[in-house]
Amino acid sequence: MSLYNEAATLLETKGSKEGSLRSQIFNNSRTYKSKPALLYALISEVTKWDCVLKEVVENANLLQLEPKLTPLISVLVVHDLLISKHGVAAKQSHPLRVAVEKHKTRLQAELTRIRIRRHCTTLEALREKLEVEYGAQNPSKNKVQWVRINTLRAEVRKQLETTFEDFEQAKQLSELLETSNTKRYYVDKHVPNLLAFPASADITKTLPYRQGEIILQDKASCFPAYLLLASTTRTHGDILDACAAPGNKTTHLAMLADPSPKPFQIFACERDLHRSKTLSDMVHLACADKQVKVLPKQDFLVLNPNDGRFANVTHILLDPSCSGSGIVRRADIPDLKLPYAPEKAQIGSAGREASRKRKRGFLGDDASQPNTRPLSQSDGISDKLFDEVRLQKLSNLQTRIIEHAFSFPAATHISYSTCSIHVVENEGVVARALTSHQGKNGQWRVVPKNEQPSRLKAWLTRGLPGDHGLTAKEIEGCIRCFPHDEQATIGFFVCLLAKGEAARPLKSSPSQVELYDNSHKYGSEDDWEGFDDNI
């Protein structure tokens, strides 16, 4: 029963570390006995069914009949007993499984009543209805999924004629947002070879997905590679992806890069050994082995710009660790609606009548159930102070990363992006980097809107004004995406930096060490958190 106990612990404690549900599970997989994929799937599914499970458990009086069960464990186990195709993940003789299974007939009857009352002929129909209602009640969850056709292995036309032959093309993206029909797609107008599908379309079960012909990648995440390579007016040299794992942007670079007039190399850095393996697998699956050289266990910040391997690196992609404040698909640890504990349940006729009144609105807000989460130092003012300190530390490191990229002698173009909506991590970092010693020395600038690819010129959402120091033209050169809007992307920021034709003379030249070892200025290596997942 470790699966249910670990899921309950995660839900009760909100996890032991910061981050999304997915990151807390998969980035700390060694701390769990259960398989991360099973743990994540259980919590994700129960989150959609919690209101139904709450009513089933309450109406069956399960917690009164089995007082050793907790409300949370009860909904987790009942979900697998009644809804999961694989059943309860425990031995038949396990006490908790025995305690729940002996009431299966009663529990199944309550679920059937709910299904009939919801006018659903099958359990699958009820599932679909709940998913639609869950999406309506959680507008922060994007309602589409973006699919990049990997032209290293496939063609858009052939994928539409085979994999998606039963799908109908939508003229507007809004058509996908307004319907639950899974058999529709939209061809994006800003990024080539990018399609949008309803979130309910199960792309991961298709053969082309398993073979690397199609890749799930958020639209905003496709901007950095496209902006970096499509904006270049002259042929690029080698390319460096400083924050490569798991490899979406790396393989996108390989797909977009021009092999003429001479071969090129894409260097992909990854500091963590486990994530380096994930990166290598992704590169191989996408058929990008010839273009990409993975540098395992390589921290970009300690990479020597004067290493001969990087003498021809002209383009650098930076997507460093950030607050992740723009990510909306990776839900935070959810708050489930749980059945009432036995001591709060009322068994008399008046209690049953009150219970019926509550249950009629089981899909609405459960205002009558108290929030039992204890207060901690992460609440209120201390939480705000913590965020400000963390954002400043991240901003310092992000600035340091750009300055380090400036130090590569042949570099002419650098894309900088984050999945954050905070100015301090975006426009603020760009302004600090441009006014740094390295920025001034190379006359680095923000590539203006009029020099960007024609497709991206049509993107209306641009940088935010503020006291960061960027000019109006520079702000217009920054591209922003916001969650919850009609574009159906995560929150994102990206801008392209280009080097001037001639270096601005300085009164004194910095030493080589200062160019790529300035940790004394922005913080120690202990502050370095590594790079975030590429979305």
Side-chain angles (χ1 to χ4, degrees):
M1 296 291 286
S2 60
L3 174 65
Y4 306 111
N5 290 328
E6 288 174 343
T9 299
L10 254 173
L11 291 165
E12 287 173 342
T13 64
K14 299 298 178 184
S16 58
K17 297 183 178 181
E18 293 181 12
S20 64
L21 172 63
R22 178 183 288 275
S23 66
Q24 291 203 45
I25 292 176
F26 285 90
N27 293 349
N28 303 285
S29 58
R30 295 181 181 178
T31 64
Y32 301 111
K33 293 181 181 179
S34 309
K35 293 182 178 180
L38 293 178
L39 188 58
Y40 180 75
L42 174 62
I43 296 176
S44 299
E45 285 301 306
V46 171
T47 301
K48 300 173 185 176
W49 287 86
D50 63 344
C51 293
V52 169
L53 294 169
K54 175 181 183 291
E55 185 173 4
V56 167
V57 171
E58 286 182 350
N59 287 2
N61 292 326
L62 180 63
L63 296 180
Q64 288 91 329
L65 296 170
E66 300 294 338
K68 291 185 178 181
L69 283 177
T70 66
L72 186 50
I73 289 291
S74 72
V75 297
L76 294 171
V77 179
V78 169
H79 169 273
D80 280 5
L81 176 67
L82 302 181
I83 299 168
S84 174
K85 296 179 180 178
H86 304 290
V88 178
K91 294 181 179 179
Q92 288 187 344
S93 59
H94 195 285
L96 280 177
R97 177 168 180 172
V98 172
V100 175
E101 282 193 335
K102 66 183 180 182
H103 304 289
K104 183 175 181 179
T105 301
R106 181 193 300 262
L107 293 166
Q108 186 67 63
E110 294 299 338
L111 178 61
T112 301
R113 289 190 184 96
I114 294 173
R115 176 175 59 76
I116 294 173
R117 192 171 70 241
R118 300 300 302 266
H119 306 291
C120 297
T121 57
T122 64
L123 189 63
E124 186 60 32
L126 178 60
R127 181 194 304 275
E128 293 177 359
K129 194 165 190 176
L130 289 175
E131 286 182 349
V132 171
E133 292 175 349
Y134 176 76
Q137 294 176 12
N138 295 270
S140 62
K141 310 293 187 297
N142 281 352
K143 299 179 181 179
V144 305
Q145 54 186 326
W146 295 95
V147 175
R148 174 168 61 84
I149 307 300
N150 178 20
T151 56
L152 294 174
R153 302 199 61 166
E155 297 178 5
V156 175
R157 178 180 57 81
K158 288 186 178 180
Q159 288 298 318
L160 293 177
E161 292 175 352
T162 56
T163 309
F164 306 114
E165 61 178 337
D166 296 331
F167 285 65
E168 175 188 355
Q169 182 175 357
K171 295 181 180 180
Q172 301 292 333
L173 179 62
S174 58
E175 295 178 31
L176 301 185
L177 301 173
E178 297 168 355
T179 180
S180 59
N181 181 8
T182 61
K183 297 292 186 178
R184 308 194 80 181
Y185 71 90
Y186 170 74
V187 179
D188 188 59
K189 62 181 181 181
H190 297 107
V191 179
N193 308 305
L194 187 66
L195 306 176
F197 293 86
S200 54
D202 201 345
I203 304 298
T204 59
K205 290 184 179 179
T206 64
L207 182 62
Y209 172 79
R210 296 195 296 269
Q211 292 180 339
E213 296 177 4
I214 61 177
I215 296 172
L216 289 177
Q217 185 173 0
D218 192 90
K219 174 178 177 175
S221 176
C222 296
F223 283 177
Y226 183 55
L227 181 64
L228 179 64
L229 296 182
S231 299
T232 305
T233 56
R234 57 176 179 265
T235 305
H236 61 77
D238 291 337
I239 303 168
L240 175 60
D241 186 348
C243 36
N248 283 349
K249 295 182 181 69
T250 308
T251 55
H252 195 197
L253 286 170
M255 192 183 91
L256 293 172
D258 183 6
S260 61
K262 60 180 181 179
F264 65 91
Q265 185 80 64
I266 299 176
F267 296 99
C269 296
E270 176 48 51
R271 188 176 186 233
D272 180 77
L273 181 59
H274 175 72
R275 287 166 59 81
S276 297
K277 176 65 166 57
T278 301
L279 171 62
S280 297
D281 292 343
M282 177 67 178
V283 168
H284 178 70
L285 182 65
C287 199
D289 305 84
K290 293 182 179 180
Q291 300 98 319
V292 178
K293 179 176 179 57
V294 176
L295 304 179
K297 294 186 67 176
Q298 179 60 67
D299 188 340
F300 174 69
L301 286 177
V302 299
L303 206 65
N304 187 347
N306 297 305
D307 188 317
R309 293 176 297 171
F310 313 122
N312 193 39
V313 169
T314 59
H315 289 61
I316 301 176
L317 190 149
L318 304 176
D319 187 55
S321 179
C322 69
S323 64
S325 56
I327 299 175
V328 296
R329 284 188 181 157
R330 298 178 186 171
D332 292 332
I333 310 299
D335 286 313
L336 300 184
K337 293 182 174 63
L338 300 176
Y340 293 98
E343 61 269 22
K344 294 181 181 179
Q346 301 181 42
I347 308 300
S349 58
R352 284 194 294 269
E353 180 61 29
S355 178
R356 291 192 196 102
K357 291 179 180 179
R358 286 194 299 266
K359 292 163 191 171
R360 289 191 189 111
F362 76 92
L363 281 170
D365 294 330
D366 188 12
S368 61
Q369 184 171 351
N371 179 8
T372 58
R373 184 173 69 90
L375 293 176
S376 68
Q377 290 184 350
S378 65
D379 295 294
I381 298 175
S382 59
D383 186 50
K384 180 179 180 181
L385 178 61
F386 172 80
D387 286 344
E388 291 177 352
V389 172
R390 180 168 180 261
L391 286 176
Q392 190 57 55
K393 289 177 66 176
L394 285 169
S395 176
N396 290 343
L397 286 167
Q398 291 154 353
T399 305
R400 179 183 167 197
I401 290 166
I402 298 180
E403 291 180 0
H404 187 59
F406 285 162
S407 302
F408 284 74
T412 61
H413 292 80
I414 298 171
S415 70
Y416 171 74
S417 59
T418 74
C419 52
S420 168
I421 61 175
H422 298 300
V423 171
V424 67
E425 296 183 88
N426 298 319
E427 292 89 352
V429 167
V430 172
R432 290 173 64 186
L434 292 179
T435 56
S436 69
H437 189 87
Q438 293 91 331
K440 290 181 179 179
N441 186 38
Q443 291 188 327
W444 287 89
R445 65 187 179 91
V446 175
V447 173
K449 180 179 178 180
N450 66 300
E451 295 181 24
Q452 294 172 3
S454 57
R455 285 172 175 255
L456 288 183
K457 288 179 185 177
W459 186 261
L460 301 179
T461 312
R462 295 286 160 166
L464 296 177
D467 58 359
H468 40 65
L470 294 183
T471 66
K473 186 176 182 180
E474 289 172 331
I475 293 173
E476 189 184 40
C478 300
I479 293 175
R480 271 188 173 270
C481 305
F482 290 99
H484 321 312
D485 69 8
E486 67 280 2
Q487 298 298 335
T489 69
I490 61 171
F492 206 79
F493 172 90
V494 61
C495 77
L496 182 63
L497 305 175
K499 192 174 185 179
E501 294 297 327
R504 184 177 301 165
L506 298 173
K507 293 183 179 179
S508 60
S509 298
S511 67
Q512 187 182 57
V513 174
E514 289 177 330
L515 285 176
Y516 60 90
D517 186 16
N518 49 9
S519 59
H520 63 281
K521 185 176 180 181
Y522 294 112
S524 66
E525 281 297 313
D526 292 336
D527 295 332
W528 172 239
E529 300 178 354
F531 291 104
D532 199 2
D533 288 341
N534 285 2
I535 301 163

